[in-house]
Amino acid sequence: MLEIQNLSYRVADTGGAGAKDILRGVSLTIPDKRFIVITGPNGGGKTTLAKTIMGINQPTGGKILWNGTDMTNLSITERAKLGVSYGFQQPPRFKGFRVRDLLSVAAGRTLNTSEACDYLTRVGLCARNYLERDVDASLSGGEVKRIEIATILARRCPLMIFDEPEAGIDLWSFARLTETFQEIHDKKEATILIISHQERIIRLADEILLVADGKISAKGSVEEIYPIILGDTVQNCNRLEVDACAE
């Protein structure tokens, strides 16, 4: 179970206007094996929340507990050893490191060709075309993104965090990814926490968290929260049309 207690994150304003609160007393409990989607307007604190759970950001207040262990002050490596994984919006590249090797490192053992291919197939890649390739600039952003997701699957972590996994991915591969997320959830393999604006991912969720202005502004089932998302989208579009006409 993931427990977040009154979590805050404050950064210094580079413009000299003082500190800025990115997260404002976020409290949240996520039971094991749940599929949670975090959505909301850009700049609302979604990615900051995810990075703070992973330990990339150090909170300025509050606590983060995973299965009863207080990991608020633990390093990224220590959290990873507890079974927490994270997929970036823009994953890193590893020149001179083959896809096959990266998958084996993630799995903690040497994977045979069949096993490695299976992980790549689950993220929509034609596996045998990628195993011997380096994870470098020769790969597109969407390819690197899918390879990173494959490594998270290979780690088999009990808590998987994905930051906009759909970014830069073609429609066919995106469809395969959503099937994979659904499979993980159906088999109760992990707790899944995904930041996304995509309806197909949002509709897979057990619960949606709407994050805005550094707080959870609403949470509930797809049936409860999705109409709110649509309403906010229409309202924002109308506002932009009015502003454009005024110019």
Side-chain angles (χ1 to χ4, degrees):
M1 182 168 63
L2 178 65
E3 299 174 83
I4 298 172
Q5 301 173 358
N6 200 31
L7 195 68
S8 61
Y9 182 68
R10 175 177 290 185
V11 296
D13 192 321
T14 55
K20 182 178 181 181
D21 291 315
I22 308 300
L23 298 177
R24 306 166 182 263
V26 175
S27 294
L28 173 67
T29 298
I30 300 176
D32 289 341
K33 316 302 183 185
R34 298 281 284 175
F35 192 130
I36 307 297
V37 172
I38 301 174
T39 192
N42 292 334
K46 303 183 300 296
T47 293
T48 299
L49 175 59
K51 286 184 174 181
T52 305
I53 295 170
M54 187 66 240
I56 300 168
N57 296 331
Q58 185 63 33
T60 51
K63 287 186 177 182
I64 305 171
L65 294 92
W66 172 239
N67 291 333
T69 298
D70 186 347
M71 62 178 190
T72 310
N73 298 312
L74 297 184
S75 68
I76 296 172
T77 300
E78 289 169 324
R79 296 180 200 217
K81 289 178 179 178
L82 290 176
V84 184
S85 59
Y86 186 91
F88 289 85
Q89 284 187 31
Q90 297 179 327
R93 299 171 187 268
F94 303 92
K95 186 176 181 180
F97 209 59
R98 297 180 305 170
V99 173
R100 177 195 294 273
D101 299 328
L102 190 61
L103 289 169
S104 290
V105 168
R109 61 183 178 85
T110 300
L111 297 177
N112 61 42
T113 297
S114 177
E115 291 173 316
C117 284
D118 179 63
Y119 286 120
L120 293 177
T121 300
R122 293 178 71 185
V123 297
L125 291 174
C126 185
R128 293 185 184 276
N129 294 339
Y130 286 90
L131 282 181
E132 305 306 322
R133 293 185 64 177
D134 283 357
V135 189
D136 58 14
S138 68
L139 297 171
S140 71
E143 289 170 327
V144 176
K145 167 80 83 169
R146 282 176 282 169
I147 289 167
E148 181 192 51
I149 294 172
T151 64
I152 292 174
L153 299 180
R155 284 199 65 211
R156 303 178 67 87
C157 285
L159 175 58
M160 299 180 178
I161 304 171
F162 300 97
D163 192 352
E164 297 193 23
E166 70 272 12
I169 294 179
D170 61 83
L171 290 176
W172 183 87
S173 299
F174 174 63
R176 184 67 188 92
L177 272 182
T178 57
E179 291 174 2
T180 296
F181 292 142
Q182 185 66 67
E183 289 169 6
I184 294 170
H185 186 45
D186 288 345
K187 294 177 181 179
K188 303 298 182 185
E189 294 178 358
T191 300
I192 304 172
L193 189 60
I194 298 183
I195 297 172
S196 181
H197 299 284
Q198 284 287 340
E199 179 181 357
R200 288 182 67 174
I201 290 181
I202 289 172
R203 290 195 174 278
L204 296 176
D206 294 317
E207 186 174 47
I208 299 172
L209 305 179
L210 193 57
V211 174
D213 194 29
K215 299 177 289 187
I216 298 176
S217 59
K219 62 179 179 179
S221 66
V222 174
E223 292 74 18
E224 293 169 324
I225 304 301
Y226 198 67
I228 297 175
I229 297 172
L230 291 178
D232 288 345
T233 301
V234 171
Q235 185 178 26
N236 288 335
C237 287
N238 290 339
R239 187 182 300 115
L240 288 173
E241 289 176 359
V242 169
D243 291 344
C245 290
E247 294 175 357

